């Protein structure tokens, strides 16, 4: 995020509106005709979360409480471009179907409400609830635009707010900020979790080019513990939105700690990206097992992703499906940006190699139905799945089992000649996403650039899952060990899906699930 210009004026306007008009969200202006309304809704995803209107970036404060997944998000209710940040709010029973809620947190005298997390303070360590009604506590960054404009290094501090009614309404803690700034410009995005071994809260904070850990008995008083990362991982830009959680190796009792660190710019395909480290956390300090740079997603459009808190044995991840390179100028009108599909993370050991795999949550099955299935067949020239299924398809989940990988591509297209290609090159064992002809690419000179990912697996067989919504495709190969996410803006939805092999492709299964 690097668009902090003119924010002082915007901040004062928002503060004025907040104080005078109260906390009502301004309704988006009425559209003048049905045509205008359709244009304004063009590219709206069907089953990925997008704000009802206006600008959204990072997922924030994700917490599961009383059968409900809460999603807060960076939100500018006055505009479709980034500005004074609020926390928007939505709730879901399954991370797939979402209900919009009123704005949860407004800027105040300490500044805008930047990214952060939320926890259930089950033992009421904060004293902000009661034993019988433990509070939800949000921990977030205050970004003071006046100080930032004056180029002061101490513009970012950490504050907390609490809810005693299950996230419906929030009260800011009266003694904010709870963690002041030591004189470092980028000092933000606290992700907090309860640490059983030390009976303390651990805050993971992104600090410019590294991570700092703080601890607290009560979410109000924080002590510095340690830092990590100045010499590790990718450093093409600022470190942002971290996350720290334990994960057991699948089918084993071996446990590691995973440290997610979002990075902008410097992602694997330029701009924003989400890297992670595998290591141990010895109650005070994180140590990684090696110096490798690992990416949770190689596509251009998965950023600021972190996991839900309070989800027991499941580790559930959601990212913002955009890239700071062009997020402010993508051609949507009434709203801007969507989230990725929610994903479940698992740690796998493949030989000696450890990697975090991600797959869409099973709950996606709540809204899919199988419309086509075919087993054991060869494709010689091409195979049009939409023709075979006799369906025009723009929202689907497809599972492909490939017996012996040769080069191939899956082409999503429309009758206007727009197309996005998902290409596998077997010689280099790489995937590519080519959106150079995907429709409107004019808004950013690099949007049409080829994105690529090394395939993690070297097996002869491959399983490939594609999740396509109106304006995005997500690729999960080999149980989710290689992942790519990309958005696009075709003139009309892609309703044709075709598999084109370089020479011949031997398919063990093809299952097409329509999403409704
Ligand atoms: C990441 C980010 C965070 C910051 C927020 C501001 O996309 O830059 O570091 O808290 O967005 O909206």
């Amino acid at each position: 995020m690097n668009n902090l210009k003119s924010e002082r004026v915007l901040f004062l306007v928002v503060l004025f509106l907040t104080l005078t008009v109260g906390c009502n969200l301004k309704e988006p202006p009425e559209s003048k005709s049905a045509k205008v309304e359709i244009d304004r809704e063009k590219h709206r995803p069907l089953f990925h979360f997008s704000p009802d209107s206006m600008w959204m970036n990072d997922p924030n404060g994700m917490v599961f409480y009383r059968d409900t997944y809460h999603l807060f998000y960076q939100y500018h209710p006055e505009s479709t471009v980034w500005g004074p940040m609020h926390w928007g709010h939505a709730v879901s029973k399954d991370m797939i179907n979402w209900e919009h809620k009123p704005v949860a947190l407004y800027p105040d005298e300490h500044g805008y409400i930047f990214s952060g997390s939320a926890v259930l303070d089950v033992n009421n360590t904060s004293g902000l609830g009661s034993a019988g009604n433990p509070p939800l506590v949000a921990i977030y960054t205050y970004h003071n635009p006046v100080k930032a404009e004056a180029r002061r290094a101490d513009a970012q501090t950490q504050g907390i707010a609490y809810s005693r009614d299950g996230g419906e309404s929030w009260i800011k803690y009266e003694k904010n900020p709870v963690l002041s700034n030591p004189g470092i410009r980028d000092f933000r995005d606290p992700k907090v979790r309860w640490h059983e071994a030390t009976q303390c809260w651990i805050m993971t904070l992104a600090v410019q080019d590294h991570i700092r850990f703080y601890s607290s008995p009560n979410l109000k008083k924080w002590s510095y513990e340690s830092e990590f990362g100045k010499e590790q991982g990718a450093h093409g830009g600022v470190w942002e939105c971290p996350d720290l959680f334990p994960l057991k190796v699948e089918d084993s009792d071996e446990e590691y700690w995973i440290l997610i660190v979002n990075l902008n710019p410097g992602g694997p395909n330029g701009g924003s990206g989400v890297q992670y480290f595998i290591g141990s956390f010895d109650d005070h300090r994180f140590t990684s097992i090696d110096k490798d740079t690992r990416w949770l997603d190689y596509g251009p459009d998965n950023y600021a992703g972190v996991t839900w808190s309070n989800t027991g044995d499941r580790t559930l991840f959601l990212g913002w499906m955009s890239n700071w390179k062009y997020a402010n100028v993508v051609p949507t009108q009434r709203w801007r940006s969507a989230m990725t599909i929610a994903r479940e993370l698992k740690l796998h050991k493949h030989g000696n190699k450890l990697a975090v795999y991600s797959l869409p949550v099973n709950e996606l099955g709540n809204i899919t139905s199988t419309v086509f299935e075919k087993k054991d067949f060869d494709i010689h020239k091409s195979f049009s799945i939409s023709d075979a299924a006799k369906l025009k398809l723009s929202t689907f989940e497809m599972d492909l089992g490939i017996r012996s990988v040769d080069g191939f591509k899956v082409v999503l297209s429309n009758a206007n000649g727009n197309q996005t290609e998902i290409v596998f090159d077997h010689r280099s064992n790489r995937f590519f996403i080519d959106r150079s002809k995907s429709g409107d690419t004019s808004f950013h000179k690099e949007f049409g650039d080829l994105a690529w990912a090394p395939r993690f697996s070297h097996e002869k067989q491959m399983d490939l899952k594609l999740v396509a919504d109106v304006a995005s495709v997500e690729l999960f190969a080999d149980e989710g060990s290689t992942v790519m996410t990309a958005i696009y803006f075709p003139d009309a939805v892609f309703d044709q899906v075709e598999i084109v092999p370089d020479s011949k492709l031997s398919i063990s299964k093809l299952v097409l699930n329509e999403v409704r």
Side-chain angles (χ1 to χ4, degrees), residues 1-2 55 57-58 60 74 82-83 85 113-116 141 156 188-189 239-241 264 303-304 320 324:
M1 186 277 311
N2 39 32
W55 167 269
N57 55 290
D58 316 356
N60 294 151
Q74 288 286 277
W82 189 90
M85 284 291 106
I113 315 294
F114 269 21
S115 287
T141 296
Q156 299 185 343
R188 58 178 177 266
D189 308 338
W239 282 21
E240 300 183 314
C241 300
N264 179 62
Y303 193 55
W320 172 46
W324 279 115

Side-chain angles (χ1 to χ4, degrees), residues 270-346:
S272 318
V274 42
Q275 65 179 319
Y276 69 95
F277 301 89
I278 301 176
S280 56
F281 189 73
D282 73 354
D283 298 352
H284 305 280
R285 181 174 293 278
F286 178 84
T287 312
S288 62
I289 54 167
D290 55 30
K291 290 210 161 215
D292 291 0
T293 298
R294 296 175 167 86
W295 301 100
L296 206 57
D297 189 321
Y298 275 86
D301 298 304
N302 182 351
Y303 193 55
V306 288
T307 61
W308 260 280
S309 71
N310 204 35
T311 53
D313 288 343
R314 295 181 81 190
T315 305
L316 302 165
F317 169 98
L318 192 76
W320 172 46
M321 200 157 54
S322 196
N323 190 313
W324 279 115
K325 266 208 256 186
Y326 40 71
N328 273 290
V329 292
V330 294
T332 57
Q333 308 237 330
R334 186 168 174 266
W335 86 100
R336 269 223 174 85
S337 308
M339 297 298 180
T340 64
I341 202 75
R343 301 170 184 183
E344 183 149 4
L345 305 185
K346 300 207 165 149

